[in-house]
Amino acid sequence: DTGVSQDPRHKITKRGQNVTFRCDPISEHNRLYWYRQTLGQGPEFLTYFQNEAQLEKSRLLSDRFSAERPKGSFSTLEIQRTEQGDSAMYLCASSSAEGQPQHFGDGTRLSIL
Amino acid sequence: QKEVEQNSGPLSVPEGAIASLNCTYSDRGSQSFFWYRQYSGKSPELIMFIYSNGDKEDGRFTAQLNKASQYVSLLIRDSQPSDSATYLCAVDGDTDKLIFGTGTRLQVFP
């Protein structure tokens, strides 16, 4: 059973650049979630999908953030015009249905220079 | 604002002892409760979930839920140094998102 896969594992970029992260969920899972975690904090919800439909976006997700899941399989999270405050671990999770356990990938650690 | 509260610790226990980790939550409507273990620099790993009042056991782990008191706990029996990690409590929000506490750091010393 392949787990949730995220790419890249690490991303270092200069302030103002755009970055895109990819998440491949567990194959039979139709729900996919994005969270962000900073040091000493628990993960904070960003957005989630059921199949290709984006069902909820957090107020944390400013206009510079966009997420897609075009064919209901993998998802991408793009951050435009990155800022220092965007430095965090970006976590993707998937589940088989509402209320079921969410399984996390290894995350993408973003560092803004 | 729905909240999940955990003592940040560290909670220090000797090897072989029982570690007790606690979590309270603010939303009485919450239905699903999860415990994740997170090693430093790694992502959260699901270790237990519970939906009904009472106890749920899996190996050395027991999750306890008391909805009337809005309290969920995790017991780790026969604690090992490899259990040293941060334990995150998560509760379902009003939709399918999870709301996490800040985590309790557990240290198991030989």
Side-chain angles (χ1 to χ4, degrees):
Chain A
D1 181 25
T2 305
V4 178
S5 176
Q6 292 190 246
D7 184 71
R9 293 291 305 279
H10 303 274
K11 180 69 176 179
I12 301 173
T13 192
K14 294 181 179 179
R15 185 169 54 89
Q17 297 296 304
N18 299 342
V19 294
T20 300
F21 310 140
R22 176 180 170 126
C23 172
D24 287 86
I26 293 171
S27 59
E28 63 269 25
H29 287 182
N30 61 20
R31 294 204 165 211
L32 185 150
Y33 312 80
W34 286 99
Y35 293 84
R36 179 172 68 187
Q37 186 177 25
T38 54
L39 198 62
Q41 301 297 314
E44 294 178 299
F45 170 78
L46 295 178
T47 188
Y48 83 95
F49 295 82
Q50 178 172 301
N51 299 314
E52 66 275 10
Q54 188 173 19
L55 297 186
E56 185 178 352
K57 292 171 59 174
S58 166
R59 285 171 296 190
L60 291 176
L61 217 63
S62 76
D63 291 345
R64 296 185 297 106
F65 288 71
S66 62
E68 294 182 341
R69 194 182 183 197
K71 296 183 179 180
S73 56
F74 72 91
S75 175
T76 58
L77 178 68
E78 181 183 16
I79 309 174
Q80 296 182 329
R81 305 181 302 282
T82 52
E83 301 174 355
Q84 290 284 353
D86 296 332
S87 295
M89 173 81 89
Y90 289 82
L91 294 162
C92 177
S94 70
S95 76
S96 58
E98 182 176 2
Q100 292 301 302
Q102 296 179 20
H103 299 270
F104 284 86
D106 289 337
T108 294
R109 185 170 298 282
L110 174 64
S111 299
I112 307 298
L113 300 178
Chain B
Q1 176 79 359
K2 296 177 175 55
E3 294 182 341
V4 176
E5 300 285 343
Q6 296 182 258
N7 187 316
S8 62
L11 172 66
S12 293
V13 301
E15 185 174 356
I18 296 174
S20 178
L21 302 151
N22 305 313
C23 171
T24 59
Y25 59 95
S26 64
D27 182 10
R28 284 197 172 275
S30 294
Q31 297 292 319
S32 307
F33 306 86
F34 306 90
W35 284 99
Y36 289 85
R37 177 175 62 198
Q38 188 171 31
Y39 293 111
S40 180
K42 303 296 185 182
S43 65
E45 174 192 7
L46 178 72
I47 53 172
M48 288 291 288
F49 59 94
I50 186 167
Y51 301 126
S52 303
N53 273 332
D55 294 0
K56 178 182 179 183
E57 185 174 320
D58 184 2
R60 296 187 296 114
F61 300 101
T62 298
Q64 299 175 317
L65 175 61
N66 184 326
K67 289 186 178 180
S69 300
Q70 295 175 245
Y71 177 94
V72 58
S73 64
L74 178 71
L75 302 178
I76 306 174
R77 289 180 298 282
D78 188 23
S79 295
Q80 301 297 308
S82 59
D83 294 325
S84 298
T86 296
Y87 288 80
L88 296 163
C89 173
V91 175
D92 64 317
D94 50 7
T95 57
D96 200 26
K97 61 178 176 279
L98 292 181
I99 300 170
F100 284 84
T102 55
T104 299
R105 188 157 60 96
L106 173 66
Q107 294 178 337
V108 181
F109 56 92

